[in-house]
Amino acid sequence: MSFFSKIVGTGSYLPPRRVSNQELTEQLAAKGIETSDEWITSRSGISARHYAATEMTASDMAVYAARAALQAADIDANDIDLIIVATSTPDFLGGFPSTACVVQNKLGITNGAAAMDVQAVCSGFIYAMSIADSLIKTGAHKNALVIGAEVFSKILNFEDRTTCVLFGDGAGAIVLSQSTTPGVLATKLHADGSYADILCVPGNVNAGTLAGSAFLYMDGQAVFKLAVNVLEKVALEALVIAQLSSSDIDWLIPHQANIRIMQSTAKKLKLPMEKVVVTVDQHGNTSAASIPLALDVAVRDGRIKAGDKVMLEGVGGGFTWGAAIVQM
């Protein structure tokens, strides 16, 4: 018997602390770093972002988003048999125990559900969803929690205005369940490790001490150029797999990193910006959380309806990129 996987619930969480460009520029000015609301918005489209409290972890935010998704799906937590968390900011150094295992415990899931983290930075959610889709289609699992959760504020250098103004914290989640009707129509993943140095955290731990830097580093121009190129290509690949054309797509939800990248991608796919879900202006770049966050916003405000075909795509450090087409 053939199985399909379908999104049956979405959820998201943003930390209460909202930081506007004005507030952030004032904080940076106190350190002698000059920037402005106009400088930030003209380059990125970002007007505000959310920062987690010092004690809040990726798993804390993931749990909030997961509970909202479970409620939307009307499914009990112990009916989940697979948990995949995409994060570049895990709860523990070295990434173990996995943030997914911590989430499992905090949700009170006691059925032995498989749990693992996926590290593909801003493409992480697409990677995680693709893995869950494949496992559900084989019949190995029935109900998966797929979560993107990030606390990037903990790895930002607030003396580097080229990166610290861009990122925020948050989490988004979906429940992906076995279905008799198609839901995930196509996924396509790629990576090219030769670009590892253009977006990274160039540090490591050796004998209990930090070697290198624990702050995020990004070559903005190189990332922009590569992102625009690969996002169009992977979107077209996904359309071929799904046997669709771009005119069949009701909504495009790209990784929310930069409005200019999003506009360029939409233009190349011949999709009007009215069909693009944009949350980067209020959320900033939340890395692996950005796609499920934007998806949940558009589902809950009524834009995305049952039956709509939605293209999701992301690009991130690694260098990684991927796309998925889903029918809601």
Side-chain angles (χ1 to χ4, degrees):
M1 180 178 178
S2 297
F3 296 108
F4 301 101
S5 74
K6 196 172 186 70
I7 296 174
V8 296
T10 66
S12 61
Y13 175 78
L14 290 165
R17 186 187 171 200
R18 179 181 182 276
V19 180
S20 67
N21 285 351
Q22 183 61 37
E23 180 181 347
L24 184 57
T25 55
E26 289 173 358
Q27 293 172 359
L28 293 175
K31 298 180 180 181
I33 301 165
E34 292 187 11
T35 188
S36 67
D37 174 58
E38 190 279 331
W39 189 87
I40 298 168
T41 55
S42 65
R43 285 162 175 77
S44 67
I46 297 168
S47 298
R49 74 287 293 149
H50 290 250
Y51 289 155
T54 303
E55 66 276 9
M56 179 167 272
T57 63
S59 69
D60 291 330
M61 293 191 296
V63 166
Y64 282 120
R67 285 176 177 156
L70 289 167
Q71 183 178 38
D74 193 22
I75 188 173
D76 185 83
N78 268 295
D79 289 327
I80 295 295
D81 56 11
L82 174 65
I83 304 165
I84 307 180
V85 175
T87 185
S88 298
T89 50
D91 285 18
F92 292 97
L93 189 66
F96 72 89
S98 71
T99 301
C101 282
V102 179
V103 168
Q104 181 201 58
N105 181 55
K106 288 181 177 180
L107 287 173
I109 296 174
T110 56
N111 61 8
M116 62 178 168
D117 288 356
V118 168
Q119 214 315 18
V121 199
C122 304
S123 307
F125 180 78
I126 300 295
Y127 268 64
M129 191 176 75
S130 179
I131 293 166
D133 170 58
S134 296
L135 289 171
I136 288 172
K137 284 177 177 174
T138 67
H141 294 275
K142 291 184 177 180
N143 298 301
L145 257 179
V146 183
I147 307 168
E150 301 285 17
V151 278
F152 259 54
S153 60
K154 295 186 178 184
I155 58 171
L156 295 179
N157 179 359
F158 284 93
E159 294 184 356
D160 176 9
R161 73 167 184 166
T162 64
T163 57
C164 73
V165 300
L166 302 178
F167 294 87
D169 303 334
I174 62 170
V175 176
L176 197 65
S177 293
Q178 194 177 93
S179 172
T180 57
T181 58
V184 177
L185 305 179
T187 64
K188 186 65 178 176
L189 306 176
H190 289 288
D192 186 343
S194 69
Y195 292 99
D197 61 343
I198 67 173
L199 179 55
C200 59
V201 178
N204 58 76
V205 176
N206 188 352
T209 61
L210 175 67
S213 171
F215 291 129
L216 179 148
Y217 165 78
M218 181 172 70
D219 180 339
Q221 289 188 341
V223 169
F224 185 96
K225 183 178 179 180
L226 189 58
V228 169
N229 182 42
V230 300
L231 285 175
E232 178 196 11
K233 289 181 178 179
V234 76
L236 294 174
E237 288 177 311
L239 286 169
V240 169
I241 295 168
Q243 298 182 336
L244 298 171
S245 66
S246 60
S247 61
D248 295 314
I249 299 300
D250 296 296
W251 295 99
L252 172 64
I253 305 182
H255 166 48
Q256 307 285 313
N258 184 301
I259 191 64
R260 292 187 296 159
I261 295 175
M262 296 163 69
Q263 290 167 338
S264 175
T265 301
K267 183 177 180 180
K268 288 187 175 185
L269 295 176
K270 298 179 180 177
L271 291 172
M273 283 303 292
E274 290 77 19
K275 285 191 173 186
V276 182
V277 177
V278 178
T279 57
V280 68
D281 56 328
Q282 297 302 315
H283 299 173
N285 182 346
T286 55
S287 190
S290 80
I291 293 172
L293 259 171
L295 174 64
D296 185 54
V297 167
V299 167
R300 290 178 185 267
D301 69 20
R303 275 178 288 175
I304 293 179
K305 299 176 176 62
D308 282 356
K309 292 182 178 67
V310 183
M311 176 175 285
L312 315 171
E313 58 173 357
V315 58
F319 214 74
T320 65
W321 62 98
I325 299 174
V326 301
Q327 184 164 307
M328 301 298 290

